[in-house]
Amino acid sequence: MEIRDVTADDLDAVLDSRKRAFGPLPASSVEPWRAMVTPSLAEGRYLGVFDGGRLIGTSRINSYDQWWHGRPLSMGGVASVTVAPEERGRGVGRFLMRGTIERCAELGHVASALYPATTPLYRSLGWEHAGARSRVTLPAEALRTLGARDGGVKLRRMGPDDAPEVRSVLERVYAATRASGPLGWEERITRQWLSDEDDFAYLADDGFVVYRWHDGDIDVENLVAGSEATARALWSLVGTASSMATTVTAAVEPDDPVLWLLRERSYDSVKQTRWMFRLIDLAAAVGLRGYPAAISAETVVEVDDPQCPANSGTWRLSISAGAGTATAVTAAPGGEVPRLTIGGMSALFAGVPTSTLRRAGLLAGGTPGADELLGTAFAARPYMLDYF
């Protein structure tokens, strides 16, 4: 077996592999799929496992910014992972994902995330469960009546040329809300997304919404709002479909303001799709992440990462004034220090509580004081609005 970049000549085989893994694409979706993936070929973002010239596995690495406590870092979103059915069970997936980790590093991504079809393979290579994409179903009529209290929010239709403004909105809102987990996309991808004629998109100064009709109801693909007035305006706009649609299903934050804006709320109908996270360059990721500005702390941890040896060793973590550093040290300074696999360190980075990590066997050694310090510094409630 060998791993090499997928080329345009391989796309028919890639499509066949994709159909066998995920089911057939509608005929109308084949050309848009080709248009979407073709730019990734020249960028070295589509990998194939070949055996004697025959394609037997694939993975694609999407380029994202991912915000962590309000600061973006470069994240490789792993998607389209396939292994030919007749080749499963002989290590193709593991071989492929080891190559995917190496390629993420070569592309400059300091972290990686994916939506797993199965946990054991990815966990064995360092990804760990970190957050979720939460989809809530709400009554359309309840949204219609929200309205904007001050009535001063101006909304306009949004199209492909608004891609830079979408980026600007995301940067401002995610920084202000200290968001952890949500994604920003390349302008090319944003333009393509906003070109879909089946989507309806509206823009405000500090927010936007993209939604579509689905089986007679409304499906909100993305809604971001930086203020109460904008949240009310965007959600009530979606709710104006209530004369035809009974429900609105939307991807939301764990503590999305819409759940506090609704007049009535007794239970939430929420479906979660879990995603996994992995640090590719530990030191760079720690340096790019944001942290609570009031925290000033320093501690030492030991990390083991067989796939990325540069992440292994003893690290001094220093947090101050909202910024952090990870500095390699030759030995731990006296006393037992917290020990983590790279999966445990990735989960800690993503805000999984130290009490959870310890009871799950992902954190060992150290002291209660170190646990509390680490848990406070890396506290987060990570989420994604997008599925890839």
Side-chain angles (χ1 to χ4, degrees):
M1 294 187 294
E2 66 169 344
I3 293 180
R4 66 169 173 81
D5 291 342
V6 167
T7 69
D9 292 337
D10 299 315
L11 284 185
D12 286 342
V14 172
L15 183 59
D16 178 74
S17 182
R18 188 193 184 286
K19 290 178 179 178
R20 294 175 189 273
F22 306 122
L25 273 178
S28 60
S29 298
V30 172
E31 286 310 311
W33 173 82
R34 288 179 180 272
M36 177 188 72
V37 303
T38 295
S40 67
L41 305 183
E43 297 171 357
R45 295 187 172 277
Y46 221 134
L47 302 182
V49 178
F50 293 82
D51 189 358
R54 185 169 63 92
L55 181 71
I56 61 173
T58 66
S59 72
R60 190 175 78 247
I61 304 169
N62 298 319
S63 179
Y64 297 119
D65 284 329
Q66 186 176 35
W67 271 262
W68 287 100
H69 200 78
R71 294 184 182 178
L73 54 81
S74 178
M75 188 273 279
V78 181
S80 299
V81 178
T82 68
V83 175
E86 68 274 18
E87 301 293 340
R88 293 170 185 165
R90 70 182 190 98
V92 176
R94 185 174 183 83
F95 180 66
L96 171 64
M97 296 314 297
R98 289 180 67 179
T100 301
I101 292 171
E102 293 176 2
R103 182 56 59 86
C104 281
E106 293 168 3
L107 291 168
H109 298 306
V110 301
S112 172
L114 53 81
Y115 284 95
T118 179
T119 291
L121 169 64
Y122 299 118
R123 175 173 282 156
S124 72
L125 292 169
W127 282 273
E128 190 49 80
H129 285 281
R133 181 178 187 247
S134 298
R135 300 266 293 164
V136 65
T137 299
L138 304 168
E141 177 62 18
L143 296 176
R144 184 189 67 80
T145 59
L146 288 181
R149 284 182 175 172
D150 64 2
V153 176
K154 296 182 179 180
L155 303 179
R156 64 174 177 83
R157 294 184 182 185
M158 182 167 60
D161 289 343
D162 292 304
E165 183 60 24
V166 168
R167 172 70 182 196
S168 176
V169 168
L170 291 178
E171 289 178 345
R172 287 183 278 116
V173 173
Y174 290 156
T177 59
R178 305 295 189 267
S180 290
L183 307 180
W185 327 280
E186 295 178 326
E187 183 172 326
R188 172 181 62 83
I189 297 299
T190 307
R191 284 181 173 275
Q192 187 174 19
W193 178 46
L194 295 175
S195 298
D196 194 323
E197 295 181 355
D198 292 333
D199 286 343
F200 302 94
Y202 292 86
L203 180 68
D205 288 342
D206 65 338
F208 65 87
V209 63
V210 180
Y211 68 94
R212 62 171 51 199
W213 288 89
H214 180 72
D215 293 337
D217 285 312
I218 298 296
D219 190 333
V220 175
E221 292 190 26
N222 219 289
L223 191 152
V224 174
S227 64
E228 176 194 355
T230 296
R232 287 182 177 276
L234 292 173
W235 283 113
S236 62
L237 180 145
V238 172
T240 59
S242 62
S243 61
M244 296 294 293
T246 302
T247 63
V248 172
T249 301
V252 294
E253 303 173 29
D255 298 309
D256 199 288
V258 71
L259 302 176
W260 277 260
L261 292 173
L262 292 171
R263 184 173 182 272
E264 296 285 354
R265 179 191 178 196
S266 56
Y267 68 91
D268 300 328
S269 177
V270 179
K271 180 179 179 180
Q272 288 192 331
T273 304
R274 304 297 305 180
W275 48 269
M276 302 180 78
F277 180 77
R278 191 197 201 284
L279 295 172
I280 301 295
D281 185 332
L282 185 156
V286 169
L288 291 168
R289 190 190 194 278
Y291 304 88
I295 292 177
S296 180
E298 185 173 289
T299 191
V300 175
V301 299
E302 292 182 3
V303 178
D304 180 36
D305 187 353
Q307 310 306 322
C308 299
N311 290 333
S312 293
T314 305
W315 296 92
R316 178 179 292 109
L317 304 179
S318 300
I319 311 296
S320 179
T325 60
T327 306
V329 294
T330 55
E336 192 176 14
V337 302
R339 301 187 305 275
L340 305 106
T341 64
I342 189 60
M345 183 65 207
S346 297
L348 173 67
F349 183 99
V352 177
T354 51
S355 60
T356 299
L357 298 177
R358 191 169 290 281
R359 289 178 291 168
L362 296 171
L363 169 63
T367 65
D371 279 14
E372 187 170 9
L373 186 152
L374 290 168
T376 302
F378 288 99
R381 296 206 60 197
Y383 68 95
M384 288 190 197
L385 300 180
D386 305 279
Y387 185 87
F388 55 85

